[in-house]
Amino acid sequence: MHQFEIRRLIPLELFGFDASFTNSALFMAIAAAVITLAALFAMRNGSLIPGRMQSVVELSYQFVANMVRDNVGTEGMKYFPFIFTLFVFVLTLNMLGMVPYSFTVTSHIAVTFALAAFIFIGVTLIGFWKHGAGFLKFFVPSGVPFVMLPLLVVIEVISYLTRPVSLSVRLFANMMAGHTMLKVFGSFVVALGLLGGWAALAFMVAFTGLELLVAFLQAYVFAILTCIYLNDALHMH
Amino acid sequence: MPQLNPLDWAPQLIWLAITFGILYVLMLKIALPRIGSVIEKRAAKIAGDLGAAEKAKRDTEEALAGYEQALAEAKQKAHAIIEEGRAKLKAETDAERAKLEQELAAKSAEAAARIEKATEAAMKDINSVATDAAADIVRQLIGVAPSKADLEKAVTAARKA
């Protein structure tokens, strides 16, 4: 579990809170810098016929734009910058975590839960701001016998309240499990040596490929679930 | 699990807010407008080019239609000119032929008259030659020259027979 440890690189204190610049903060800053520099470098010419870098940046832009448009509709495009930032930030953090000796920010429940809670609160506020108290009807399923309603409303509310938990745990658990697995098999390679280490090594190579896929997929799932929650708030199903 | 150490949460959350906030502003204000404008520019350019191509195609079709119409008109005109020329030529030829025929008829009539005249003259000559010859023959035979009136009567009677 050494790879998940938080180390304080620059101890800091802010208003009585521990605001130390940690290895986690370092990788968040690296991610932000990498994203910004990559986008600016790729778009430096803004040519009509894109090069490789520009294609990648434009593709991710349109990927997220289509995701928002398909799942939320055109009025959701107001939140496109947020979803885009969320997607590329989580994706970059996941991918940076695949680099050996780096730190995976998203393998910490505190970070993923903070993101999920922010999204949950924001989406709920948007729902109430848009529909007023009518947003409460979201918890009342239509076409259900009256006697069933109390039970179903409770279920709906609970399922709504678990959204931030499932959203954050999904990302955190995937990232942590993958890295732990790699670590375990890495120790197998050392322990089995020349005799059987190659088998564990081969598994690690394949599993690293899978982990790259998971890193992308979890960022995608995080973003698309945000879109779906936003759609619920804006359109109530 | 280091993830469950509450002492580590505050620095992570504070820096998450800082980095995510900065990244969001950078994306919102700089990166996304730039990417969006390039994509829009390209879409506009493609749409413009397609429109221009469409217009060029329409122009071509119009020009082609105009050309075809002009061609048809020209053909019709050429046809009319040819018809007119042919009719004119035919009229001229007919007039010429009529004139020629008239001339030829006149000439042939004249020739026929001349032949008639020549025949008549020849006939007259023959009469005189025959009379002379008959006078000579008679004088040789009987030694007496017959009168000219008798001879002429006899010759005329003989030729008629």
Side-chain angles (χ1 to χ4, degrees):
Chain A
M1 293 294 139
H2 171 74
Q3 59 171 325
F4 300 120
E5 235 148 60
I6 299 284
R7 286 191 299 278
R8 284 162 176 73
L9 304 175
I10 306 168
L12 270 176
E13 192 147 321
L14 228 68
F15 310 114
F17 289 106
D18 180 9
S20 302
F21 192 77
T22 59
N23 51 351
S24 170
L26 174 67
F27 275 90
M28 288 192 251
I30 289 174
V34 163
I35 293 162
T36 310
L37 292 180
L40 293 186
F41 177 74
M43 303 308 291
R44 69 195 181 285
N45 295 326
S47 48
L48 282 178
I49 298 151
R52 258 176 262 183
M53 277 284 278
Q54 196 183 329
S55 280
V56 170
V57 171
E58 285 182 13
L59 278 176
S60 43
Y61 179 97
Q62 279 169 329
F63 178 70
V64 180
N66 288 338
M67 180 161 69
V68 175
R69 207 174 295 122
D70 293 347
N71 289 294
V72 193
T74 37
E75 57 185 309
M77 290 311 280
K78 203 163 51 170
Y79 307 100
F80 165 67
F82 175 76
I83 309 254
F84 182 82
T85 311
L86 186 71
F87 174 69
V88 290
F89 192 56
V90 173
L91 177 65
T92 312
L93 290 176
N94 290 355
M95 287 300 179
L96 281 177
M98 290 306 296
V99 178
Y101 296 105
S102 69
F103 178 81
T104 316
V105 178
T106 43
S107 67
H108 273 259
I109 184 74
V111 171
T112 60
F113 188 78
L115 284 174
F118 179 77
I119 291 160
F120 175 75
I121 293 168
V123 157
T124 309
L125 288 180
I126 289 169
F128 277 111
W129 171 71
K130 180 113 174 125
H131 303 284
F135 186 59
L136 289 172
K137 268 187 266 170
F138 180 74
F139 301 106
V140 186
S142 56
V144 175
F146 187 74
V147 277
M148 296 289 284
L149 270 183
L151 182 66
L152 283 172
V153 167
V154 169
I155 291 174
E156 286 282 326
V157 169
I158 290 174
S159 90
Y160 189 79
L161 290 176
T162 53
R163 276 176 172 188
V165 179
S166 66
L167 187 61
S168 58
V169 168
R170 184 181 299 111
L171 176 59
F172 145 75
N174 266 288
M175 298 323 290
M176 196 193 71
H179 283 78
T180 309
M181 191 93 155
L182 281 176
K183 165 87 189 237
V184 168
F185 275 83
S187 62
F188 282 176
V189 175
V190 177
L192 296 174
L194 281 176
L195 260 162
W198 55 270
L201 187 65
F203 178 83
M204 275 186 76
V205 171
F207 197 75
T208 304
L210 182 71
E211 272 305 289
L212 286 172
L213 177 73
V214 169
F216 170 80
L217 210 62
Q218 288 306 319
Y220 174 68
V221 167
F222 204 87
I224 205 160
L225 281 173
T226 307
C227 286
I228 290 168
Y229 296 162
L230 189 61
N231 182 49
D232 283 346
L234 288 175
H235 304 121
M236 309 201 21
H237 292 296
Chain B
M1 275 209 324
Q3 282 93 335
L4 298 180
N5 178 5
L7 289 178
D8 285 344
W9 290 350
Q12 285 189 76
L13 297 183
I14 288 167
W15 283 98
L16 173 66
I18 293 171
T19 50
F20 192 88
I22 291 173
L23 184 65
Y24 176 70
V25 172
L26 286 173
M27 292 293 115
L28 181 70
K29 296 285 176 204
I30 300 170
L32 292 179
R34 203 168 290 184
I35 302 170
S37 79
V38 168
I39 290 173
E40 246 164 56
K41 209 165 68 188
R42 180 176 311 125
K45 166 100 174 113
I46 289 171
D49 284 1
L50 278 179
E54 188 72 22
K55 193 180 170 300
K57 194 177 164 223
R58 229 176 310 119
D59 286 355
T60 312
E61 270 165 10
E62 261 169 39
L64 199 65
Y67 162 75
E68 263 166 12
Q69 201 187 344
L71 191 68
E73 269 171 22
K75 262 186 185 163
Q76 213 168 1
K77 224 188 237 169
H79 198 70
I81 288 170
I82 288 169
E83 274 302 303
E84 198 185 322
R86 187 181 290 158
K88 210 165 116 191
L89 265 179
K90 193 168 180 296
E92 266 173 25
T93 322
D94 282 355
E96 199 90 347
R97 189 188 292 143
K99 204 170 130 203
L100 209 62
E101 270 171 4
Q102 214 172 356
E103 262 177 34
L104 282 175
K107 258 186 195 156
S108 84
E110 198 187 326
R114 254 201 340 259
I115 289 166
E116 185 91 3
K117 227 156 85 196
T119 314
E120 234 168 78
M123 283 300 172
K124 227 186 258 166
D125 281 359
I126 282 171
N127 268 6
S128 75
V129 168
T131 314
D132 283 354
D136 276 352
I137 292 165
V138 169
R139 204 173 48 230
Q140 291 273 328
L141 284 175
I142 58 174
V144 183
S147 72
K148 203 168 178 173
D150 287 344
L151 267 173
E152 269 175 12
K153 205 189 282 174
V155 167
T156 313
R159 276 175 49 100
K160 268 195 188 137

